[in-house]
Amino acid sequence: MTAPFDLSDDSVVVIVGTGAGGGVLANELAQKGVSVVALEAGGRYLPEDYINDEWESFGQLAWVEPRTTSGDWRVARDFPNLPAWIVKAVGGTSIHWAGASLRIQDHEFRARTEYGNVSGANLLDWPLTRAELDPWYDKAEKKLGVTRTNDLPGLPGNNNFKVFEAGAKAIGYTQVNTGHMAINSVEYDGRMACQQTGFCFQGCKWGAKWSSAYTDIPRGEATGNLEVRANCHVLRIEHNEQGLVNAVVYSDADGNEQRQSARMVCVAGNSIESPRLLLNSASSMFPDGLANSSGQVGRNYMRHTTGSVYGVFDKPVRMWRGTVMAGIIQDEAHNDPSRGFVGGYEMETLSLGLPFMAAFLDPGGWGREFTSALDSYENMAGLWIVGEDMPQETNRVTLNTEVTDAFGMPVANVNFDDHPNDIAMRNYAYMKGMEMYDAVGATRTFPTPPYPSTHNLGTNRMSENPRDGVVNKFGQSHDIPNLYVSDGSQFTTGAAENPTLTIVALAIRQADHIAGELSKGNL
Amino acid sequence: MNSQTSREGLTRRQLLSRSAAVGASFVVGAGFVAGADAAWALETQALSPESMAALIQLARDIYPHDRIPDENYVIAVKVYDTADAAPAIEAGIAALDAVAQGRGYPSYLGTPWERDRVAILREMELSPFFQSIRGGLVTGLYNQKAVWPLFGYEGESYSEGGYLHRGFDDINWL
C-alpha cells in the first residue's frame, strides 16, 4: 500500500534520490515506521522494461541532461557533456552497477595517516573506522546477497574470467576469484540465480543482480510509510529563519512546481547532483549554498583511477557472454609505496558490447590502427582497473551559470585533473594488465582510457572537524542538523573498492541513527 | 539496400551503361551513385551523386573494415542526404578535394591509394566536418545490427535464456 502524503505534511522525511543510498535509506526508515517521501528525477523501470541493447538502454536509463566539464582529464575532451555514466530512474545507478561488492580496507579509512602528506592531495582520515562500520557491512552483504559471504557460493567463471585467471596466475597473482558479487549465484531473497546473459550494465532482466528498484523500494512502499514520486526533479531545498531545512521544491511529472514540507531532508542524488542541489539552494542566510561553511561542498571530487586493458588472442574468447564483472584480482589492492604510488587498485573483468567498444576503446580514434583492433573483437579479453585516486580541492563540482537545464537551473560543471599519483598508479596497472594477457598468449594489448565516471565520490565529504568537510560520520551536515547526505558524496576518500556496498552500509547505518535521533526528539 | 539494388528495374548492364566511374569503387549517373560492380545503387536527394560517393569513401577510409560491404557504409552516411545537412557536406567534400588537389590529385575520390587518402584526412582530422562525420559513424556504422555478426558479436541473449547453457564458459584453448 503506497502512502500518499500531503504536500503540507511537515512530519515527513524527504529523500532526494532513490539509488543505492536513497532507495535503501527510504526502505530502512519506512520499516522503522518513519514517514518518507522520496523524490526521484527519473521514471520507474523494472526488469521487464530493461533493454539489452547498449545504446537503446543508454537512451532509456542514463542521465543525459546537460553537464559541462573542464580540466586535463581525457573525458573532458572525448565526452565534454557526459562526465558520468549514471542513471536517472527509480533505483538510480543501482540498476546499472556491475554488482562488485567489496568492503573498504581498514587502512583506507585512515588514508591521511597511512599515506602521509601527499603533495597536492587533500587527504583526510574518515571519522569512521572499518571496525565501526563492519556490523553494517554485515547487514549490507545480507541485504544484497553478496557471493562468498554468508555461505553463498561464488559465481561460475565465464570465458573472460578464465583468460583473466590464467593470466593472473601466470604472473604470480594468487588472490583471484569470481568476486564478491551482489548477483545471485543461487536463488536468494526471492530473486533467481544469474543466467549468464551479459548486459549487467543495462539492468538485469532476471532480477538476479540486486537493485533498489525492485527490492528496497517496493518493500518500503509495502509498509505504507513510503511514497516514491517518480519524474519529480528537485530544484532547491528551503530553510526557516532558524536555519533548519523545512521544504523541498521540485518540478513534478507534469512540469508544475511543487513544494513538499519536510521535517528533515536527506540528499542522495549522486556526487554530481547532490552538491549541485546544495549549491543551487543558496539563500541570504547561506550565500555559498547549504551546509557549505567549510567551502568543501563540491570539492574533492573523486572518480577512481580507472582504465581498461584489452588483450587480443589468436582464438575466440567471446568476452561478452556471461556476468560482466565476476572476476577480481586483489593482489595489488594493498598500500605499497615502493610501486611508485600510494594506495592500491583492484583489477576486475570487464566487457563491452561491440557498439560501446567502438565508442570507448579509443575515443576519437580512427583508421586501421583502430579498426584492426575492433576486427579482433571476438578474440578479446578485457579487464578494468579500479584504484584509489587522490582527493584534490580543485577537482570539484561547481555551478555553470552559463548553461541551464530545462528548469532554468545552472548545470553542474565537473572539473578534474589527474594527480601525479593517479597517473603513476594507472600506468603501473596498465603494465600489469598487459603483462597478464601477454603471459597467456595475447598477440596485441590495448590500454584503454577511462570511460565517463561511474564511481562519483567525495563532493560532500565526512570529516571529524567541521572545517574539513560537509557532514559528520552519520552523514549529518555539520551546519544544519536536519540536513543529511546519503550517497557516495559522503566518502572522505575513494579507497580502491567499488563503492556501492559502502553506500548501502552507510545508508542502513544512517537509518538507524536517524530513527534513534527521531525517537529521542532530537530532529 | 536490396530494394534499391536494381534501380527502376534497370539491369546491371543498363545501370552501368548510364553511369560513369568516380574513383575506383563507385559509378555515378543522373541522381544516383552505385558500386562499381553495380551490386548496389542509391538515389540521392539533396547531395550530388559525386559528393555521396566521396562521403561513402570517406566513411570507409575513417573506419576501414574489409569484411563490411559498402551497403553498411551507405546506410551510415545516407542520413546526410537531406536539404538541411547537404550544404555542410558539400562544403566539407569541397574542402577535402582542395586538400587533395594541393597534393596533386584531381579530387579526394580521385586519389587512388588509401594511404594517400588517409594522409589527406590526417591533415583535416581536427576540422568540425571530419569530427562530425567520424562521430556520427561510431553509432551510424557500429550500431547496425547487420554488421555485428561480422565481428562475431551476438547481441542480446535474454530471449534465448542467456548463455548459462549456451557456452558462457566454453573456452577450450587455454
Side-chain angles (χ1 to χ4, degrees):
Chain A
M1 184 61 207
T2 301
F5 292 107
D6 198 87
L7 286 169
S8 61
D9 186 342
D10 61 6
S11 73
V12 299
V13 174
V14 175
I15 300 176
V16 181
T18 59
V24 168
L25 178 66
N27 178 35
E28 293 286 325
L29 287 174
Q31 298 293 336
K32 295 171 194 296
V34 178
S35 299
V36 177
V37 172
L39 300 172
E40 169 55 54
R44 198 182 279 253
Y45 306 96
L46 292 170
E48 59 267 31
D49 304 316
Y50 302 150
I51 303 167
N52 282 359
D53 177 292
E54 290 177 314
W55 284 116
E56 221 184 310
S57 172
F58 186 84
Q60 179 188 48
L61 297 174
W63 184 291
V64 292
E65 279 72 20
R67 289 171 174 149
T68 58
T69 50
S70 54
D72 71 11
W73 59 330
R74 196 172 149 178
V75 169
R77 186 182 83 206
D78 296 334
F79 305 98
N81 298 115
L82 190 72
W85 177 10
I86 49 184
V87 170
K88 179 178 175 181
V90 174
T93 307
S94 75
I95 296 172
H96 156 78
W97 77 308
S101 301
L102 303 168
R103 298 186 184 199
I104 291 179
Q105 302 168 78
D106 184 46
H107 73 270
E108 290 171 330
F109 284 98
R110 303 184 305 272
R112 175 64 180 81
T113 304
E114 293 287 322
Y115 306 155
N117 181 22
V118 177
S119 174
N122 193 25
L123 282 168
L124 188 69
D125 291 350
W126 290 56
L128 186 62
T129 64
R130 164 68 181 268
E132 224 174 325
L133 193 54
D134 268 338
W136 285 276
Y137 270 135
D138 291 343
K139 291 181 186 186
E141 286 170 349
K142 284 201 185 82
K143 178 191 286 282
L144 272 52
V146 177
T147 60
R148 293 194 164 81
T149 73
N150 300 298
D151 298 322
L152 291 168
L155 285 159
N158 68 354
N159 289 335
N160 197 29
F161 173 75
K162 289 183 170 183
V163 176
F164 175 88
E165 181 187 40
K169 289 183 172 167
I171 68 165
Y173 287 148
T174 58
Q175 299 174 60
V176 50
N177 60 55
T178 58
H180 287 60
M181 302 295 292
I183 295 179
N184 287 348
S185 54
V186 292
E187 195 177 311
Y188 180 80
D189 198 26
R191 291 180 292 110
M192 65 185 287
C194 174
Q195 302 298 299
Q196 301 289 335
T197 300
F199 293 95
C200 299
F201 294 160
Q202 283 69 34
C204 181
K205 289 189 73 67
W206 306 104
K209 179 181 78 180
W210 177 86
S211 167
S212 62
Y214 41 80
T215 58
D216 282 71
I217 287 165
R219 285 174 189 175
E221 289 172 326
T223 65
N225 298 321
L226 168 63
E227 179 186 356
V228 175
R229 295 183 196 153
N231 297 304
C232 288
H233 185 106
V234 174
L235 305 173
R236 64 183 179 276
I237 299 167
E238 295 186 343
H239 61 81
N240 62 20
E241 287 172 9
Q242 287 75 49
L244 293 171
V245 295
N246 62 359
V248 175
V249 177
Y250 64 94
S251 177
D252 70 14
D254 300 320
N256 298 316
E257 198 164 300
Q258 305 289 356
R259 182 181 186 276
Q260 173 64 54
S261 294
R263 158 187 215 159
M264 58 178 289
V265 176
C266 302
V267 180
N270 196 294
S271 279
I272 297 177
E273 292 306 312
S274 288
R276 175 184 177 222
L277 176 59
L278 296 180
L279 295 170
N280 267 331
S281 302
S283 64
S284 53
M285 188 184 285
F286 301 112
D288 297 325
L290 299 184
N292 197 20
S293 67
S294 64
Q296 295 291 308
V297 170
R299 293 188 186 272
N300 312 303
Y301 170 73
M302 295 171 287
R303 55 169 329 258
H304 275 144
T305 293
T306 66
S308 305
V309 178
Y310 293 95
V312 171
F313 297 85
D314 59 354
K315 296 191 182 69
V317 177
R318 303 189 180 103
M319 65 176 172
W320 64 86
R321 293 183 178 182
T323 324
V324 174
M325 204 169 271
I328 191 167
I329 297 163
Q330 301 201 271
D331 293 73
E332 302 280 4
H334 60 296
N335 176 39
D336 172 10
S338 74
R339 291 175 297 186
F341 53 86
V342 298
Y345 63 91
E346 314 279 353
M347 300 163 95
E348 298 168 352
T349 54
L350 179 72
S351 64
L352 298 176
L354 181 81
F356 273 16
M357 187 61 81
F360 295 120
L361 178 66
D362 180 16
W366 61 277
R368 286 195 184 267
E369 184 185 349
F370 179 85
T371 56
S372 63
L374 281 185
D375 282 336
S376 300
Y377 175 76
E378 191 174 14
N379 294 10
M380 274 184 192
L383 65 84
W384 196 47
I385 297 155
V386 196
E388 178 160 11
D389 58 341
M390 291 294 106
Q392 301 180 72
E393 277 206 309
T394 50
N395 284 350
R396 61 187 295 205
V397 172
T398 54
L399 298 180
N400 185 341
T401 52
E402 293 177 6
V403 183
T404 52
D405 66 11
F407 311 102
M409 303 300 285
V411 306
N413 182 72
V414 183
N415 182 77
F416 189 90
D417 297 319
D418 279 316
H419 186 278
N421 196 79
D422 305 344
I423 294 168
M425 178 188 287
R426 181 181 296 117
N427 288 337
Y428 184 93
Y430 277 153
M431 294 303 294
K432 286 293 179 183
M434 292 190 285
E435 202 181 315
M436 270 173 54
Y437 287 138
D438 284 342
V440 282
T443 54
R444 195 174 169 190
T445 51
F446 304 94
T448 296
Y451 312 124
S453 314
T454 49
H455 299 171
N456 298 276
L457 304 167
T459 50
N460 294 303
R461 71 179 183 178
M462 285 185 179
S463 65
E464 188 68 49
N465 190 323
R467 185 191 59 210
D468 299 326
V470 179
V471 299
N472 68 15
K473 65 179 179 180
F474 295 109
Q476 181 180 31
S477 75
H478 289 305
D479 298 348
I480 302 174
N482 67 341
L483 175 63
Y484 282 70
V485 174
S486 317
D487 57 22
S489 68
Q490 299 173 83
F491 282 33
T492 308
T493 54
E497 289 72 29
N498 310 58
T500 300
L501 183 74
T502 302
I503 293 172
V504 170
L506 290 173
I508 302 171
R509 181 168 172 273
Q510 187 177 73
D512 291 347
H513 164 81
I514 288 173
E517 292 296 293
L518 288 172
S519 68
K520 283 184 254 171
N522 291 343
L523 285 168
Chain B
M1 212 52 41
N2 286 339
S3 62
Q4 290 163 309
T5 300
S6 177
R7 183 176 174 269
E8 294 166 4
L10 293 185
T11 66
R12 194 172 159 209
R13 181 188 300 256
Q14 287 169 323
L15 186 142
L16 290 174
S17 75
R18 295 178 190 197
S19 60
V22 287
S25 306
F26 309 105
V27 296
V28 297
F32 72 94
V33 55
D37 59 356
W40 57 271
L42 174 72
E43 288 183 62
T44 59
Q45 311 297 328
L47 285 172
S48 72
E50 290 79 6
S51 291
M52 180 54 87
L55 196 55
I56 297 164
Q57 184 65 61
L58 173 63
R60 199 179 254 300
D61 288 337
I62 293 175
Y63 290 127
H65 291 284
D66 300 337
R67 287 181 294 174
I68 297 185
D70 284 339
E71 282 91 327
N72 299 105
Y73 291 95
V74 172
I75 289 169
V77 297
K78 71 178 182 183
V79 296
Y80 298 109
D81 188 20
T82 65
D84 284 348
I89 298 296
E90 297 282 8
I93 300 296
L96 264 183
D97 286 342
V99 175
Q101 284 152 14
R103 289 169 171 259
Y105 301 103
S107 64
Y108 176 69
L109 262 186
T111 307
W113 292 92
E114 178 180 321
R115 182 187 58 200
D116 299 322
R117 290 193 306 272
V118 167
I120 292 166
L121 298 183
R122 287 281 167 214
E123 203 170 307
M124 295 195 56
E125 69 176 325
L126 298 178
S127 69
F129 169 70
F130 180 91
Q131 285 302 328
S132 131
I133 300 295
R134 190 203 57 72
L137 283 170
V138 172
T139 47
L141 181 62
Y142 297 111
N143 207 32
Q144 289 181 44
K145 288 188 170 69
V147 308
W148 293 355
L150 302 175
F151 295 91
Y153 181 52
E154 298 165 294
E156 71 87 27
S157 72
Y158 174 75
S159 63
E160 297 182 71
Y163 292 106
L164 184 59
H165 307 293
R166 297 193 314 118
F168 79 102
D169 62 349
D170 64 357
I171 196 164
N172 58 10
W173 52 261
L174 274 167

